[in-house]
Amino acid sequence: MTEALGSTATPESGRPEDEETTKRGRRGGKRAKKGPFGRLALFYRQIIAELRKVVWPTRSQLSTYTSVVIVFVVIMIGIVTVIDYGFNNAIKYVFG
């Protein structure tokens, strides 16, 4: 009357097995049909398409981001300098 759970009557993926084998058998796709210059042109077209999607910052945002980065780098340089000076003095104290 009822089928047992886990029955193998229907494939679990829901697609016939012949589609799976045709997808595995196909290699390269459109890339194999184009030469190296065609692939290079496609690559540059994709780069331009991605750059059109970018939301570029305004001049004020760019100056704000730049100043934040410069301040952060200066602070990190100060921290590393202090730590280096401390290690230098510790080594001089330990080894004479």
Side-chain angles (χ1 to χ4, degrees), residues 69-81:
V69 168
I70 289 173
V71 168
F72 177 76
V73 168
V74 167
I75 289 172
M76 292 307 294
I77 288 173
I79 290 172
V80 169
T81 302

Side-chain angles (χ1 to χ4, degrees), residues 3-12 17:
E3 292 185 22
L5 291 177
S7 173
T8 58
T10 59
E12 299 231 350
E17 293 163 0

Side-chain angles (χ1 to χ4, degrees), residues 25-80:
R26 188 175 61 187
R27 285 208 170 138
K30 289 187 176 182
R31 191 175 0 164
K33 296 177 185 174
K34 293 182 180 178
F37 292 113
R39 289 193 305 245
L40 191 61
L42 175 65
F43 177 69
Y44 283 117
R45 281 196 305 269
Q46 289 173 346
I47 288 175
I48 291 170
E50 287 297 323
L51 285 175
R52 286 185 181 138
K53 295 178 189 177
V54 173
V55 178
W56 297 98
T58 62
R59 183 174 292 273
S60 64
Q61 288 173 333
L62 189 63
S63 62
T64 302
Y65 297 157
T66 303
S67 60
V68 166
V69 168
I70 289 173
V71 168
F72 177 76
V73 168
V74 167
I75 289 172
M76 292 307 294
I77 288 173
I79 290 172
V80 169

